[in-house]
Amino acid sequence: MSEAYPFLEEIKLKRMVVTDESLELISKSFKNFKALVLSSCEGFTTDGLASIAANCRNLKELDLRESEVEDLSRHWLSHFPCNSTSLVSLNISCLGSEVSFSALGRLVTRSPNLRTLRLNRAVPLENLPDLLCRAPQLVELGTTGAYSVEIRSDIYSNLAEAFSACKQLKGLSGFWDVVPAYLPAMYSVCSGITSLNLSYATTQSSDLVKLVSQYPNLQRLWVLDYIEDIGLEALATSCKDLQELRVFPSDPFGVEANVSLTEQGLISVSEGCPKLHSVLYFYRQMTNTALIAIMKNQPNFIIFKLCIIEPRASSLELPIT
């Protein structure tokens, strides 16, 4: 492939087995290689990533979204050359182990064009303010998951100060194990956020109600069903620009519902969010009456996907015609 396409700049693979040898070959075959996106891939280790870091001197994007990576070394980020300044997007959220924070910090510092940074849950919370101070130009941030430490006033104040300097933030994700008491530290950026991904966050309904109310310009929300009907009602009240909603199940294999999520929540959003055009909704309870009401509220849907968690227990009383 290197002989046929010597000027190749991007490779994007999904659900494929990728070896370290393949990554090393890529890194040495294309002199102007700029982007590697491995989505839900497996078969490679951090040694292969080290080859990409060391040899792709014009790399702008490295995205490992939902891939399975074998962690052989936490120092692979140190293989980026000291004069490397081209990075625009880095997604390491799938990594299971810690990376070298000193190497990560140096890389972020010398990447003035970095716009997207998605961290893994092993990055300590107390390190997040330092990274934000090094990259106040970030547009999308995937926050660390290690929020489940005991609340500390110094960490809270450092977080609040660091977030307040990030004037360009538009997207937030992560929040794996967040302690609700830390959430107000990021309220200063909420008014500018248009995309919020809480699909891995176990934050409960009462805290989600407070959280979504802080995002008046939100256009896209991915969230677990912990948001419940009351949270969706708050969303409908606060987020009038919402265009896309995805509600995922927190316990898809449970026999009984573990949350209070019904068709009423979706009806509320369809009534309160006039720009809504895309929905993915996992549910246990839905009626034809509710579906008709939703469609009347939003006749211009582009995407509308309902996923029944228990098909045999569906409460659809009549088919839609």
Side-chain angles (χ1 to χ4, degrees):
M1 188 168 70
S2 60
E3 294 181 359
Y5 306 102
F7 303 109
L8 189 69
E9 296 184 356
E10 298 184 9
I11 292 179
K12 298 182 179 182
L13 304 175
K14 186 173 184 178
R15 297 191 181 97
M16 295 187 67
V17 176
V18 180
T19 65
D20 286 345
E21 291 75 18
S22 298
L23 294 179
E24 183 176 7
L25 182 62
I26 290 171
S27 73
K28 294 180 178 179
S29 299
F30 309 107
K31 294 183 178 180
N32 200 36
F33 193 73
K34 295 180 180 179
L36 178 64
V37 178
L38 301 177
S39 179
S40 302
C41 292
E42 59 181 318
F44 61 100
T45 74
T46 48
D47 286 350
L49 297 178
S51 297
I52 295 292
N55 299 314
C56 300
R57 295 180 176 270
N58 298 307
L59 194 68
K60 291 186 176 182
E61 180 179 11
L62 178 59
D63 190 335
L64 309 175
R65 65 185 73 171
E66 298 185 1
S67 289
E68 295 183 15
V69 185
E70 184 179 355
D71 295 333
L72 299 183
S73 171
R74 61 191 296 266
H75 298 286
W76 66 274
L77 286 173
S78 64
H79 289 263
F80 277 95
C82 293
N83 60 350
S84 173
T85 61
S86 60
L87 202 62
V88 175
S89 177
L90 178 65
N91 182 352
I92 57 172
S93 60
C94 67
L95 296 183
S97 301
E98 290 186 23
V99 297
S100 169
F101 182 74
S102 59
L104 176 61
R106 291 193 300 270
L107 179 61
V108 169
T109 299
R110 63 176 184 265
S111 302
N113 296 314
L114 189 65
R115 295 293 181 267
T116 299
L117 178 62
R118 291 190 172 94
L119 304 169
N120 69 329
R121 64 193 308 167
V123 176
L125 175 63
E126 55 267 27
N127 290 346
L128 183 58
D130 180 68
L131 287 175
L132 293 178
C133 290
R134 293 170 185 258
Q137 77 280 5
L138 285 175
V139 176
E140 295 186 28
L141 173 67
T143 70
T144 169
Y147 280 66
S148 56
V149 296
E150 183 179 352
I151 186 74
R152 286 172 45 185
S153 58
D154 58 330
I155 294 179
Y156 181 93
S157 60
N158 289 340
L159 275 174
E161 183 178 358
F163 270 110
S164 66
C166 297
K167 306 297 186 181
Q168 300 181 55
L169 267 181
K170 297 295 182 184
L172 287 174
S173 60
F175 306 95
W176 286 278
D177 305 304
V178 64
V179 168
Y182 279 117
L183 290 175
M186 64 188 72
Y187 280 2
S188 61
V189 301
C190 289
S191 61
I193 298 298
T194 59
S195 176
L196 184 62
N197 185 346
L198 301 175
S199 57
Y200 292 100
T202 57
T203 308
Q204 300 299 302
S205 178
S206 58
D207 297 305
L208 285 172
V209 169
K210 299 175 185 176
L211 185 62
V212 299
S213 300
Q214 301 296 321
Y215 296 90
N217 297 307
L218 193 65
Q219 297 177 15
R220 182 176 72 171
L221 175 65
W222 294 11
V223 67
L224 290 176
D225 54 14
Y226 291 127
I227 193 168
E228 299 188 329
D229 288 342
I230 189 173
L232 292 179
E233 290 169 4
L235 182 69
T237 300
S238 304
C239 306
K240 298 300 181 181
D241 289 334
L242 190 72
Q243 298 177 23
E244 178 183 344
L245 173 65
R246 298 189 183 188
V247 180
F248 300 96
S250 55
D251 184 19
F253 303 108
V255 177
E256 299 293 335
N258 62 323
V259 294
S260 179
L261 183 73
T262 68
E263 67 271 30
Q264 187 54 51
L266 188 52
I267 292 175
S268 297
V269 175
S270 70
E271 290 176 344
C273 303
K275 299 180 182 180
L276 186 69
H277 61 71
S278 178
V279 166
L280 170 63
Y281 200 78
F282 285 79
Y283 68 97
R284 292 175 184 266
Q285 177 178 329
M286 186 69 65
T287 65
N288 278 303
T289 302
L291 287 176
I292 292 171
I294 292 167
M295 292 305 172
K296 286 183 177 179
N297 292 333
Q298 294 293 342
N300 297 318
F301 267 127
I302 298 174
I303 298 173
F304 187 72
K305 297 180 180 179
L306 295 179
C307 300
I308 305 174
I309 297 177
E310 292 180 296
R312 295 181 182 178
S314 172
S315 60
L316 288 173
E317 68 274 351
L318 289 172
I320 297 296
T321 59

